């Protein structure tokens, strides 16, 4: 499989992630969809790294994985905060703030 | 040694953040005798706020010191390039960011104890987020850009959700987090594509690769570059909260503790503008991309006009002053974007944007601070009605509020006036007459809702029996307001010195 194959797979995963963010009503579902997007990017980075025959893309992917983990930690803490305050994690229930 | 000196603003704030974290964890909680607490930071918001403010002021002073010594005379700094590019542009922004952060820390020192949010981790988080913001303004490489962006954002997400047990705070934090990480993932996709298309992660290398498009032997694909440009612009437009990527802004500002909203409005926005300028001018500075006919200037011009117009129209209809200030921050992002568009033709526009953001930082921090001062425990000033009659009850708070609103509205003799003047003048000099005129018209519309606050402050009496906000007393908030007021008046009455410094920043941005 050449570079194009990997790019198409990554683009498909990324689009699935975007679709999930737009349609999911559960905060954890949205969070998981964002992670899918981030992992699609990691796939891209590693494929490009092989294409350019250098370590840069792999290093970038490692950093991106670490940052994604940190993001999940903060995200789950915030979901927990919402659950404690509301007893539910559906985002359409979080609608106190509006114009 | 020179390397350490060149990096000292970053090191001071970063090491300071870690020390402050230790001081928080190993200190004794300051609670009434007999009260059990497991939180070592309980009741110590005051001392930690002071520590945070001192560290950030040291960061600002060191930024000035490195500026005076001249980053170009420190050849060792090339060792950290292109990951961190320490030039005058970076130093100007790190000064702005440290000032904004210090003002937010002082406001928090008064606000957190007053409103019963006894959470001292606010201050280490604030400092770490500021380090991220400073690194973002220095990022000359896609990798540092992304790491710095996340460092800054993760701190801010936590700051918003600090008020435990409040559904509004949880909602605000989660909304900002979900949209923020969505935008960050989109931008990351753009960054990966940029690396794939050019084989470089440093902005200078990307810029050279983009310039080589069309020349014989170039393998760089123009399509990939355009797609990545769009994705990166979406990510950064979200961070500067430009319309139509602004929906999170009013909700996040309203639900967040006011000092956290202040920090988001001033530091996150300034750092995002710094990186936007650097990415566009260094990475996408090729004439075919940075021209009126194609590339990013027309896209940004649309964002600028939308941001100014939509935000100004919606801001006038708000009942909450905090939401009004949130929309005002969106409108100001629009004015600053006019300067970014002008930067395609004139390097002076970069310094105009830098000066504008400094003026905006001190004015906005002051306005939020004055709003904090107008409320007290259980009676936070939120709506216009709450501010009725404050001019009589607390003349000093009302006077300070008016000064900062004057500056936000762009009236002389304040910082905001020269900020707008400089940005619109560079727009006219670059031949962007329509943008400049739309900006001026919008400034006039914007004055409406700023003046409306003053009408309530001085000309309305609170309705009988209505719950009215009682002004608070706090040395921290007062100090922050005095410092911000000095900046606003200094930049407004004697802008020459800072303008000279800002124009020094322009030359080294490319």
């Amino acid at each position: 499989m050449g570079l194009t194959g990997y790019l198409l797979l990554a683009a498909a995963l990324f689009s699935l992630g975007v679709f999930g963010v737009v349609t999911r009503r559960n905060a954890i579902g949205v969070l998981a969809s964002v992670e899918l997007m981030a992992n699609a990017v990691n796939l891209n980075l590693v494929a490009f790294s092989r294409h350019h025959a250098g370590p840069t893309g792999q290093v970038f992917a490692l950093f991106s994985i670490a940052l994604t983990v940190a993001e999940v930690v903060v995200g789950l803490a915030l979901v927990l905060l919402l659950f404690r305050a509301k007893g539910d994690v559906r985002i359409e229930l979080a609608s106190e703030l509006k114009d | 040694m020179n390397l350490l000196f060149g990096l000292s603003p970053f090191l001071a704030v970063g090491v300071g953040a870690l020390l402050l974290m230790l001081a928080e964890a190993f200190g004794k909680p300051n609670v009434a005798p007999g009260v059990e607490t497991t939180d070592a930071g309980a009741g110590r918001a005051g001392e930690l706020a002071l520590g945070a403010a001192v560290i950030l002021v040291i960061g600002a002073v060191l930024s000035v010191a490195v500026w005076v010594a001249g980053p170009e005379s420190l050849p060792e700094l090339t060792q950290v390039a292109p990951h961190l590019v320490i030039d005058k542009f970076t130093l100007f922004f790190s000064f702005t960011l440290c000032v904004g952060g210090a003002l937010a820390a002082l406001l928090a020192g008064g606000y957190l104890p007053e409103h019963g949010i006894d959470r001292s981790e606010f201050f280490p988080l604030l400092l770490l987020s500021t380090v991220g913001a400073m690194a973002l303004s220095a990022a000359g490489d896609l990798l540092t850009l992304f790491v710095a962006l996340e460092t800054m954002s993760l701190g801010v997400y936590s700051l918003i959700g600090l008020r435990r047990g409040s559904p509004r705070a949880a909602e605000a934090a989660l909304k900002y987090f979900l949209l923020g990480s969505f935008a960050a993932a989109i931008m990351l996709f753009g960054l990966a594509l940029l690396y794939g298309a050019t084989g470089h992660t440093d902005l200078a290398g990307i810029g050279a690769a983009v310039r080589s498009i069309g020349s014989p032997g170039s393998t760089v694909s123009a399509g990939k570059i355009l797609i990545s440009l769009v994705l990166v612009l979406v990510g950064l437009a979200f961070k500067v909260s430009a319309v139509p990527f602004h929906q999170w802004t009013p909700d996040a500002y309203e639900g967040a503790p006011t000092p956290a909203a202040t920090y988001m409005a001033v530091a996150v926005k300034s750092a995002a503008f710094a990186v936007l300028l650097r990415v566009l001018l260094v990475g996408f500075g090729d004439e075919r991309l940075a021209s009126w006919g194609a590339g990013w200037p027309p896209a940004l011009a649309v964002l600028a006009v939308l941001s100014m117009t939509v935000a100004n129209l919606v801001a006038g209809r708000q009942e909450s002053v905090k939401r009004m200030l949130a929309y005002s921050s969106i409108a100001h992002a629009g004015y600053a974007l006019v300067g970014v568009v002008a930067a395609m033709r004139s390097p002076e526009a970069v310094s105009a944007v830098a000066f504008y953001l400094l003026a905006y930082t001190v004015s906005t921090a002051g306005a939020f601070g004055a709003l904090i001062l107008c409320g007290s425990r259980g009676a936070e000033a939120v709506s216009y009605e709450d501010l009725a009659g404050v001019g009589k009850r607390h003349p000093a708070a009302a006077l300070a509020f008016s000064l900062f609103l004057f500056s936000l509205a762009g009236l002389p003799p304040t910082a905001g006036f020269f900020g707008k003047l400089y940005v619109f003048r560079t727009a006219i000099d670059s031949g962007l007459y329509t943008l400049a005129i739309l900006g001026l018209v919008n400034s006039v519309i914007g004055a409406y809702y700023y003046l409306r606050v003053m009408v309530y402050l001085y000309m309305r009496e609170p309705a009988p029996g209505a719950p009215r906000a009682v002004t608070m007393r706090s040395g921290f908030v007062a100090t922050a307001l005095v410092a911000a007021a000095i900046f606003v008046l200094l930049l407004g009455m004697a802008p020459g010195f800072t303008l000279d410094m800002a124009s020094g920043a322009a030359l080294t941005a490319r």
Side-chain angles (χ1 to χ4, degrees):
Chain A
M1 194 159 75
L3 178 66
T4 321
Y6 289 106
L7 293 189
L8 286 177
L9 177 62
L13 281 176
F14 190 82
S15 314
L16 271 179
V18 174
F19 179 74
V21 171
V22 177
T23 55
R24 285 276 167 181
R25 297 279 66 114
N26 184 307
I28 296 181
V30 179
L31 193 59
S33 306
V34 172
E35 296 319 308
L36 194 61
M37 292 166 69
N39 281 322
V41 177
N42 290 339
L43 190 62
N44 249 350
L45 284 169
V46 175
F48 281 135
S49 182
R50 194 172 163 82
H51 175 67
H52 289 301
T56 319
Q58 295 178 31
V59 173
F60 207 141
L62 285 176
F63 270 90
S64 146
I65 291 170
L67 285 170
T68 312
V69 171
E71 212 174 65
V72 171
V73 170
V74 174
L76 284 179
L78 293 177
V79 172
L80 199 65
L81 207 63
L82 186 75
F83 182 75
R84 286 208 180 129
K86 289 254 183 190
D88 206 318
V89 294
R90 277 176 294 168
I91 35 180
E92 72 261 28
L93 292 179
S95 55
E96 287 190 25
L97 302 166
K98 54 176 72 143
D99 282 332
Chain B
M1 206 52 217
N2 278 343
L3 181 62
L4 281 183
F5 174 61
L7 292 175
S8 58
F10 300 81
L11 293 175
V13 181
V15 174
L18 299 179
L19 289 179
L20 205 65
M21 210 189 295
L22 288 177
E24 193 224 336
F26 289 103
K28 279 211 174 64
N30 178 17
V31 288
V35 179
E36 288 285 323
T37 176
T38 51
D39 181 5
R44 294 165 59 212
E47 57 191 86
L48 290 165
L50 194 62
V54 168
I55 291 166
L56 285 166
V57 169
I58 292 175
V61 171
L62 285 172
S63 305
V64 175
V66 179
W67 174 292
V68 172
E72 57 282 346
S73 68
L74 301 170
E76 291 85 351
L77 283 176
T78 52
Q79 290 170 24
V80 289
H83 297 287
L84 289 177
V85 181
I86 315 288
D87 52 18
K88 287 195 166 176
F89 176 82
T90 303
L91 291 168
F92 193 91
F93 272 97
S94 73
F95 176 78
T96 307
L97 294 168
C98 285
V99 168
L103 290 174
L106 285 175
L107 295 181
Y111 180 91
L112 296 186
E114 178 75 21
H115 292 276
I117 313 172
D118 215 347
R119 306 290 300 277
S120 304
E121 57 269 40
F122 186 97
F123 302 100
L125 281 172
L126 180 80
L127 287 183
L128 289 171
S129 177
T130 313
V131 178
M134 290 162 76
L136 194 57
S137 70
D141 187 282
L142 301 184
L143 190 52
T144 18
L145 192 162
F146 190 63
V147 174
L149 187 80
E150 289 289 306
T151 313
M152 176 179 82
S153 308
L154 288 178
V156 176
Y157 301 142
S158 326
L159 289 182
I160 303 172
L162 211 64
R163 205 191 297 242
R164 247 193 309 225
S166 151
R168 295 162 69 86
E171 180 188 333
L174 195 64
K175 269 185 184 166
Y176 183 36
F177 171 80
L178 289 177
L179 284 172
S181 50
F182 181 57
I186 290 179
M187 187 168 138
L188 186 60
F189 195 85
L191 299 183
L193 214 54
L194 205 51
Y195 160 65
T198 61
H200 290 277
T201 56
D202 59 311
L203 289 174
I206 290 169
V210 171
R211 277 194 190 87
S212 78
I213 295 177
S215 60
S218 166
T219 55
V220 180
S221 132
K224 277 185 194 155
I225 296 286
L226 275 182
I227 297 175
S228 56
L229 173 61
V230 171
L231 295 174
V232 171
L233 275 186
V234 168
L236 290 178
F238 176 88
K239 282 291 163 201
V240 302
S241 64
V243 178
F245 307 102
H246 70 291
Q247 281 93 348
W248 57 274
T249 316
D251 290 350
Y253 285 21
E254 195 187 0
T258 311
T262 312
Y263 179 75
M264 282 158 78
V266 300
V268 173
K269 196 166 294 226
S270 305
F273 266 109
V275 76
L276 183 67
L277 281 170
R278 201 188 286 276
V279 167
L280 290 180
L281 295 179
V282 180
F284 298 103
D286 180 47
E287 270 123 35
R288 284 164 292 177
L289 275 176
S291 67
W292 193 241
W296 48 267
L300 282 187
V302 171
L303 288 185
V305 172
L306 279 179
S307 303
M308 294 186 289
T309 318
V310 174
N312 275 332
L313 292 179
V314 183
R317 292 191 289 130
Q318 299 304 312
E319 279 314 306
S320 153
V321 180
K322 223 167 155 184
R323 280 187 94 85
M324 181 278 278
L325 286 173
Y327 280 107
S328 133
S329 89
I330 299 173
H332 282 274
Y335 304 134
L337 277 174
V338 172
V340 179
V341 176
M344 70 173 172
R345 289 195 190 139
S346 89
E348 271 171 35
V350 176
S351 47
V353 175
F355 182 86
Y356 188 87
L357 287 169
L358 180 60
Y360 163 81
T361 293
V362 288
S363 320
T364 302
F368 273 110
L371 186 64
I372 289 177
L373 201 63
C374 288
S376 55
R377 173 170 288 192
E380 193 171 351
V382 177
S383 66
Y384 285 96
E385 291 296 333
D386 289 336
L387 295 178
V390 167
K392 278 194 191 125
R393 297 203 302 272
H394 202 310
L399 185 69
F401 214 152
S402 311
L403 174 70
F404 298 123
L405 291 172
F406 261 68
S407 182
L408 286 174
L411 301 174
T414 55
F417 171 72
F418 278 100
K420 282 213 177 85
L421 181 73
Y422 204 30
V423 163
F424 293 148
R425 203 180 65 196
T426 51
I428 289 172
D429 288 348
S430 332
L432 304 167
Y433 301 108
T434 322
L435 265 186
I437 290 169
L438 282 173
L440 283 173
V441 170
N442 264 299
S443 317
V444 177
I445 302 175
Y448 160 73
Y449 51 85
Y450 296 125
L451 293 176
R452 191 168 158 220
V453 174
M454 278 183 247
V455 167
Y456 273 90
L457 283 175
Y458 287 108
M459 296 174 190
R460 295 283 173 93
E461 285 301 318
R468 60 178 201 185
V470 180
T471 50
M472 69 182 278
R473 286 176 186 282
S474 161
F476 285 111
V477 178
T479 313
L481 289 185
V482 170
I486 291 174
F487 266 109
V488 165
L489 289 174
L490 209 62
L491 293 179
M493 295 191 185
F497 178 65
T498 324
L499 280 178
D500 286 346
M501 285 188 89
S503 34
L507 299 172
T508 45
R510 296 204 185 217

